[in-house]
Amino acid sequence: MKRFIKRNALWGAYIVFLVLAATFGAREGALDFSGPGATGKAAIWAVFIAFLIYSIQAHRKEVFLRSVAKVNQLWWGLQIGLDLYISVFLSLALIYLVEGSLAVMLLWALPVLVFANLAILPYLILNFGAVFSAFAG
């Protein structure tokens, strides 16, 4: 049982994050497809579901931290990791621009830094209208 909890603790934390994000961090319903950006929101949902399924499959096949340690030993592996975290910080900047609040951005920062796209995509889903309108002008 200890091994199961240790191996799946991060997924438990992820589920808690999703519940908290949907409860406190959403401007709209996750399944609200009304408005001009409905097709875009559906596309983000599709990307999120596909990425989540792939992440769960990867979790079943390999230990995350062990895999990251191996990948980071390679020049391209480290470059991919750095590239990911540049995107993560750009995503946090987007959250700040949409929210207009450093405090709100900092609340999103920990899950975004830990889960990367598995946290950024739910932010987009839960706040799609605000993000869309910020870019649509």
Side-chain angles (χ1 to χ4, degrees):
M1 186 64 168
K2 275 186 178 182
R3 183 175 183 264
F4 176 83
I5 291 170
K6 184 178 176 183
R7 179 149 167 74
N8 295 294
L10 202 56
W11 285 109
Y14 184 67
I15 291 168
V16 169
F17 155 71
L18 287 178
V19 169
L20 291 172
T23 303
F24 300 110
R27 284 193 168 88
E28 62 193 65
L31 299 175
D32 179 7
F33 293 98
S34 61
T39 304
K41 186 172 183 175
I44 292 174
W45 258 112
V47 170
F48 172 67
I49 290 169
F51 190 63
L52 180 62
I53 290 169
Y54 186 82
S55 298
I56 292 168
Q57 179 63 12
H59 171 76
R60 292 178 61 222
K61 299 291 184 182
E62 297 179 356
V63 177
F64 176 73
L65 293 176
R66 195 175 309 146
S67 297
V68 169
K70 286 180 187 177
V71 168
N72 281 342
Q73 292 175 356
L74 305 171
W75 283 95
W76 278 111
L78 182 57
Q79 191 278 343
I80 290 167
L82 292 171
D83 183 56
L84 170 67
Y85 277 91
I86 290 170
S87 298
V88 162
F89 284 106
L90 289 172
S91 297
L92 287 171
L94 172 73
I95 291 170
Y96 175 75
L97 290 172
V98 169
E99 298 295 335
S101 167
L102 183 62
V104 173
M105 187 272 299
L106 289 174
L107 286 172
W108 279 94
L110 181 62
V112 167
L113 290 171
V114 172
F115 301 116
N117 288 318
L118 285 174
I120 295 161
L121 292 167
Y123 176 84
L124 293 174
I125 289 167
L126 295 169
N127 298 285
F128 189 81
V131 174
F132 183 80
S133 66
F135 286 101

